[in-house]
Amino acid sequence: MDKLLRIALVVNTFPKLSETFIFNKVLGLTQAGMDVTVFTSNKKSNYRAFEDRLSLIQPLKVKPTLIGRGFLGIFLGLLKIGFTKPLEAMKLLNKSCLLYPKNLKRIIRAWVLALPLKLGYFDIIHFEFSGIAVSYLDALPLLKPSKLLTSCRGAAEQITPIIEPDRKMQLEKTFGYLDRVHCVSDDMVNTAEKLGLKPSQAFVNRPAIDINLFRRVQAYQGKSKGPYRLISVGRLHWKKGLGFGLLAVHQLLDSGYDVLYDIIGGGVEEEQLLFMIHDLGLTAYVQLYGSQPAQVVRQRYEKADICILPSLSEGLSNVALEAMAMELPVVSTNVGGMGEAITDGVEGFLVPPYQPEIMAEKAALLIDHPELRIRMGKAGRLRVEKDYLIERQIRNFIFEYKNLG
C-alpha cells in the first residue's frame, strides 16, 4: 500500500480569484486522497467565490505562517509553539544558530519562517511561486529532510530579475536547495535555466482547467452580423498588455467593425485603463467587470465571439485554455509558452507583442469569416481535451511527489 504523503503548499493568499489554478490543484490533490495543508501569509481570501466547489470536498486544511502577521502575531504564534512543542522549537533554533553564527537577524528570520512547516513533519513542501521560495531562502536548509519544490509560472522569472538585479543570484541559490522545480512550459524551463536551474531539476506540468466547468451550454452559432463581442480576462497589470487590447479594438472600430470589448479582472492598472477608454472614445464599447468568480467568467465567454490575449509576458495562460474550452478562437501574443498551447492558424492566431494593428487584423479576419471562428473554436476544445485536462495535471503532480517522497 502506498504511503500517504503529507504535502504542504505555500502561497500568499488562499483561495484567490486570480489564482484559481492553485485552488484547482488543492481540490484535485485532496480528491485524489492526498493529505494537503495550505500555508498562507495573508489573511485575505475569496472563499465566497469558491463556495460551490468547496462543498465537493471535506474542509480544507489552511494554516497561517508566522510571517505577515505583524510583531504581535509572530510573538503569539511563537508563544503557542513554545507551549505545545518546546523541545522541537528549541532544536530548530539551535540549528539556525549553527547555520548563521553571529547573525542574529538571519537566525531569527530562518527560525520563524521554518517553524510552522518543520513542525508539520511534511514529506513534501511546495512553494507555489519561485518568489515565495526566494523569500524562504534562509529557512530552506532547516526544512530538510522534507523534499522541497517550487513552481516557475511567469512574472517572477521573466520580469522580476530585470527589475531587481539581485533576483538572479537569489534564484540560483534557492534552486540549489530544491529537489525539483515545476515549470509551466518548455519555454519556462529555458528561462529558468538562464537563472541557475539545473536541467535535471526541472519537470514540465502544463496548466490545466476543468472542462466540465468551462463547457458551452449552447453551441456557438457563428453569427454574421454585429455587435461582435471580444473578451479578455486577467488581472489589471501592465504585463497583461490590456492597453494594447484597447488599441486593437479602437482600430477595429475605426475600420467600421461593430465590436464590443469585455475585460474581466481587477488590479492596479484600472485607473490607466479607464483613462485610455475615455481618451480613445471607447466608453460605449468597452466594459470593465472587475474580478469575477469562475461561473461568471464562463457566462461571459458564452456570450463572446473572440478571446484576445494581448499579454507582454506569460508563462502559459490559463485564460487561453478556458477560452479554447469554451470554443472561442484566441488571438494571442506569441510570448512565453503561448506557442505551446496555440498552433497559429489552428486554434487561433499568434501575433507579435506591442503590435495592436496585427491583433486587430487577425480579429477582423475572424469577424469576416464566421466559419473560421467555428472551426478554430472546435479545434481549441479538442486541444484542451487532449492536452490540458486537470486530471492529467494532478496525476503528474502526484507522480512527481511520490517519486520524491
Side-chain angles (χ1 to χ4, degrees):
M1 184 175 179
D2 287 342
K3 171 188 174 184
L4 178 62
L5 292 180
R6 291 177 53 79
I7 302 169
L9 305 181
V10 187
V11 298
N12 289 319
T13 304
F14 183 85
K16 187 176 181 181
L17 275 174
S18 62
E19 296 173 5
T20 301
F21 53 90
I22 301 291
F23 178 84
N24 290 339
K25 178 181 176 181
V26 174
L27 183 68
L29 290 174
T30 302
Q31 289 178 324
M34 299 292 104
D35 184 354
V36 181
T37 302
V38 181
F39 283 86
T40 72
S41 58
N42 193 322
K43 291 182 179 180
K44 295 180 181 179
S45 69
N46 301 126
Y47 268 107
R48 293 186 64 182
F50 294 88
E51 283 178 341
D52 58 326
R53 304 185 70 200
L54 284 166
S55 65
L56 300 174
I57 57 172
Q58 60 189 346
L60 298 177
K61 291 191 283 188
V62 181
K63 296 183 178 181
T65 63
L66 291 178
I67 60 173
R69 300 170 63 181
F71 178 80
L72 181 59
I74 293 174
F75 176 77
L76 292 176
L78 290 174
L79 196 63
K80 181 179 179 181
I81 291 171
F83 276 114
T84 56
K85 295 183 178 179
L87 291 178
E88 293 94 330
M90 289 307 297
K91 285 180 181 178
L92 194 65
L93 180 59
N94 184 56
K95 287 183 179 179
S96 189
C97 290
L98 294 174
L99 270 175
Y100 308 112
K102 300 180 181 179
N103 192 328
L104 182 60
K105 184 177 179 180
R106 292 186 76 183
I107 289 170
I108 298 300
R109 175 175 172 77
W111 182 55
V112 169
L113 285 169
L115 263 175
L117 294 169
K118 186 68 176 180
L119 298 183
Y121 307 104
F122 294 102
D123 301 293
I124 303 290
I125 299 175
H126 191 145
F127 302 95
E128 288 293 341
F129 297 90
S130 67
I132 298 177
V134 167
S135 72
Y136 274 77
L137 181 55
D138 284 344
L140 296 180
L142 298 177
L143 296 176
K144 296 292 185 178
S146 297
K147 302 299 183 181
L148 308 179
L149 301 89
T150 195
S151 290
C152 294
R153 302 182 181 275
E157 300 78 31
Q158 296 166 336
I159 299 172
T160 307
I162 298 172
I163 299 169
E164 300 177 13
D166 291 339
R167 180 51 64 95
K168 182 180 185 299
M169 179 183 66
Q170 293 168 345
L171 278 169
E172 188 170 5
K173 288 182 178 179
T174 300
F175 290 148
Y177 288 112
L178 302 179
D179 296 281
R180 293 288 270 164
V181 174
H182 160 229
C183 296
V184 296
S185 65
D186 294 329
D187 178 82
M188 183 54 62
V189 174
N190 295 332
T191 298
E193 285 180 5
K194 295 173 185 176
L195 299 169
L197 177 66
K198 295 178 181 177
S200 59
Q201 289 179 284
F203 71 97
V204 175
N205 195 9
R206 291 178 172 82
I209 61 167
D210 182 350
I211 62 167
N212 295 313
L213 175 61
F214 291 99
R215 181 190 296 274
R216 296 194 70 87
V217 175
Q218 297 180 336
Y220 180 66
Q221 299 301 317
K223 63 189 183 188
S224 56
K225 65 177 183 177
Y228 300 94
R229 194 171 291 274
L230 281 61
I231 187 170
S232 290
V233 181
R235 59 194 177 100
L236 307 187
H237 185 280
W238 65 263
K239 85 184 197 80
K240 295 299 181 181
L242 292 167
F244 293 98
L246 292 175
L247 291 173
V249 168
H250 183 261
Q251 181 161 326
L252 286 168
L253 290 165
D254 275 357
S255 299
Y257 288 95
D258 185 7
V259 296
L260 300 172
Y261 186 28
D262 294 339
I263 300 175
I264 300 177
V268 295
E269 298 295 322
E270 182 176 359
E271 184 179 276
Q272 178 190 354
L273 293 176
L274 285 171
F275 174 80
M276 286 188 68
I277 291 167
H278 174 79
D279 201 45
L280 292 170
L282 299 177
T283 305
Y285 306 97
V286 180
Q287 179 71 48
L288 299 182
Y289 287 90
S291 297
Q292 297 294 337
Q295 288 288 1
V296 175
V297 175
R298 196 212 64 78
Q299 291 166 10
R300 300 313 306 179
Y301 283 138
E302 182 94 19
K303 296 179 180 180
D305 299 284
I306 302 166
C307 175
I308 62 174
L309 190 81
S311 300
L312 307 181
S313 168
E314 285 288 350
L316 198 159
S317 171
N318 285 72
V319 167
L321 302 180
E322 293 170 359
M324 289 160 64
M326 292 296 295
E327 300 182 34
L328 291 179
V330 180
V331 182
S332 170
T333 48
N334 191 10
V335 297
M338 294 314 302
E340 298 172 37
I342 298 170
T343 302
D344 187 38
V346 179
E347 300 91 5
F349 292 111
L350 295 170
V351 302
Y354 305 103
Q355 297 189 37
E357 67 279 1
I358 300 180
M359 179 161 278
E361 176 187 315
K362 296 300 184 182
L365 181 62
L366 287 164
I367 291 170
D368 290 337
H369 297 87
E371 75 286 353
L372 183 60
R373 273 178 270 139
I374 294 172
R375 185 169 75 246
M376 285 187 165
K378 290 186 180 299
R381 176 74 187 187
L382 289 173
R383 181 69 184 276
V384 172
E385 289 176 344
K386 178 177 179 289
D387 295 328
Y388 295 98
L389 297 181
I390 187 69
E391 293 83 2
R392 171 205 55 80
Q393 187 192 56
I394 297 302
R395 283 197 304 269
N396 288 350
F397 276 127
I398 291 174
F399 174 82
E400 291 291 339
Y401 292 160
K402 285 185 174 180
N403 272 0
L404 289 172

